[in-house]
Amino acid sequence: MKIEKNQCRTDTITTTIQKIDLKKPNFIGVGGHKCATTWISECLRYHPQIFVSNPKEIRFFTTYFHKGLAWYLNHFKNIKNQRAVGEFSVSYLTDDDAPKRIKDMLGNVKIIICLRNPVDRFISHYKQYLRSGRLNKKYEHLNEKIIKEIITKYPEMISNGLYCEHLRTYFDLFNNDDIMIVIKDEIDENPQKIIKDLCKFLNVSTDYLPKVLNKQVSPGIIPRIYLIEFLRVRIYIYLHNRIPIIISWIRKFRIAELYRKLNNQKSNNNSINTNIKKELYKYYELDIENLEKLIKIKLDSWKIKRDF
């Protein structure tokens, strides 16, 4: 009898998981980038029946896959009796290998995907790169020439909004009933309903109201002093990768909120002109139409506004 190579690999992985005395995740948040996954993870983190990894983004199925399964499962060693166990890593949405790796190692887990109007997502991504210093002051005021330079230098800023292209693999590999799509517009309109729907999806109690429900988690700023923001980002990356517990303390004692108040410009001059927005809407138009067919959700508010 011929045994498929992939089946052998899956059986080996399953046996390895059983040998490692650690509980594996039963849900994965896969993005997208700048689409409110941090808000979702922080809302779910304090539910008594849910365990969310610390750090939020382990990035095992993309950046750290070479470290092996035991390294990954070690992030869930503090699980007690929680029913839902998972992590959120936005890199999983746009990586070609991540969906298959998740399926092979974790089986039929639940998948949470948060999406945002791709034009708004692009603008948020652009402002994040300004804050972090990846884009210097030359790029503060966009025009057609500048935006072409940015996209050439950082193609992910535009490609990360092509959701349908990235989502097809997840819908091919996982049961549609095990995939929940969250639209950021709906979070803004009714955050309590979204959290209740997520709890229902994860089979945990819906009688739960997170303290951060109506708070903006990790909001961006336009820094008054770019050097300080540059150093903050580098320190954050170091702590996130080496000593993630310190990030939790910073959030707990609201140090980040104080920093934002001290190093935030009162006015934001990084406006996006109408012509650039119009071109962005045109760029994403076909992908949005295909996405509607794939996820069976109408996205009229994402389409090009004819009254521009």
Side-chain angles (χ1 to χ4, degrees):
M1 182 177 68
K2 184 179 179 181
I3 300 176
E4 294 292 334
K5 184 178 179 181
N6 285 345
Q7 182 62 46
C8 290
R9 183 168 180 253
T10 302
D11 291 344
T12 302
I13 290 169
T14 302
T15 303
T16 304
I17 290 175
Q18 291 172 346
K19 287 180 179 179
I20 300 172
D21 189 22
L22 292 171
K23 188 173 182 180
K24 64 177 181 175
N26 53 28
F27 78 86
I28 300 290
V30 304
H33 183 255
K34 306 306 293 180
C35 293
T37 56
T38 299
W39 178 85
I40 292 174
S41 68
E42 289 306 299
C43 282
L44 297 181
R45 182 180 300 280
Y46 301 104
H47 191 299
Q49 295 177 320
I50 299 175
F51 181 95
V52 177
S53 68
N54 188 14
K56 163 209 165 193
E57 297 200 35
I58 302 175
R59 291 180 287 159
F60 170 65
F61 296 104
T62 51
T63 308
Y64 298 111
F65 193 66
H66 64 282
K67 288 182 176 286
L69 183 62
W71 177 88
Y72 177 60
L73 295 184
N74 191 55
H75 288 83
F76 304 94
K77 64 183 179 181
N78 294 324
I79 295 170
K80 295 179 182 177
N81 57 354
Q82 291 93 339
R83 295 176 61 181
V85 176
E87 58 135 329
F88 288 78
S89 292
V90 299
S91 61
Y92 297 166
L93 181 60
T94 56
D95 186 88
D96 292 336
D97 296 323
K100 185 69 164 56
R101 288 172 174 176
I102 293 171
K103 177 73 172 182
D104 284 349
M105 288 204 164
L106 302 180
N108 291 318
V109 293
K110 292 181 179 291
I111 303 293
I112 298 171
I113 303 166
C114 189
L115 303 177
R116 180 182 189 177
N117 181 321
V119 175
D120 293 341
R121 195 219 66 80
F122 173 87
I123 293 169
S124 181
H125 200 162
Y126 155 70
K127 290 181 177 179
Q128 181 193 35
Y129 278 16
L130 276 178
R131 293 193 301 271
S132 67
R134 297 182 77 173
L135 292 174
N136 59 38
K137 290 190 175 184
K138 166 189 173 183
Y139 299 100
E140 280 189 350
H141 303 286
L142 288 181
N143 56 44
E144 290 185 10
K145 180 183 177 182
I146 291 293
I147 205 166
K148 285 179 181 177
E149 285 185 27
I150 291 172
I151 293 170
T152 300
K153 192 173 184 179
Y154 298 112
E156 70 275 12
M157 287 181 64
I158 194 83
S159 64
N160 280 3
L162 295 170
Y163 303 129
C164 189
E165 181 181 314
H166 303 307
L167 284 180
R168 289 192 189 280
T169 307
Y170 281 99
F171 276 84
D172 288 342
L173 289 175
F174 296 89
N175 299 324
N176 287 9
D177 290 342
D178 289 332
I179 299 175
M180 180 171 175
I181 303 292
V182 179
I183 306 299
K184 187 179 181 298
D185 298 349
E186 296 175 358
I187 293 176
D188 297 337
E189 291 171 8
N190 194 342
Q192 186 170 350
K193 180 182 182 301
I194 293 299
I195 293 303
K196 284 187 176 294
D197 290 347
L198 280 164
C199 289
K200 184 177 180 181
F201 176 69
L202 295 174
N203 296 318
V204 298
S205 172
T206 58
D207 186 21
Y208 166 70
L209 198 64
K211 293 181 179 179
V212 298
L213 182 70
N214 294 305
K215 292 184 178 181
Q216 188 178 9
V217 177
S218 190
I221 64 169
I222 300 299
R224 294 165 60 192
I225 303 174
Y226 278 81
L227 177 59
I228 295 176
E229 177 66 6
F230 176 83
L231 293 173
R232 182 199 70 81
V233 171
R234 295 303 179 273
I235 292 170
Y236 173 84
I237 292 171
Y238 177 84
L239 294 175
H240 180 277
N241 293 333
R242 303 291 184 87
I243 324 174
I245 189 65
I246 293 181
I247 301 297
S248 299
W249 292 341
I250 288 171
R251 287 174 179 161
K252 181 178 180 180
F253 294 106
R254 306 176 74 175
I255 296 172
E257 290 181 30
L258 177 61
Y259 165 78
R260 291 186 189 100
K261 289 179 181 179
L262 293 174
N263 196 33
N264 191 17
Q265 290 184 23
K266 290 185 178 180
S267 62
N268 180 5
N269 296 318
N270 307 108
S271 57
I272 312 297
N273 73 49
T274 299
N275 289 334
I276 289 175
K277 280 189 176 182
K278 199 170 186 177
E279 290 304 311
L280 287 170
Y281 274 108
K282 286 181 181 178
Y283 179 83
Y284 289 118
E285 194 169 23
L286 180 59
D287 189 76
I288 291 171
E289 289 177 5
N290 291 332
L291 180 65
E292 287 181 315
K293 296 173 186 176
L294 179 67
I295 66 177
K296 297 177 173 58
I297 296 175
K298 293 296 290 181
L299 301 166
D300 291 339
S301 65
W302 289 14
K303 296 174 183 176
I304 187 168
K305 295 174 174 57
R306 301 298 175 183
D307 58 347
F308 269 0

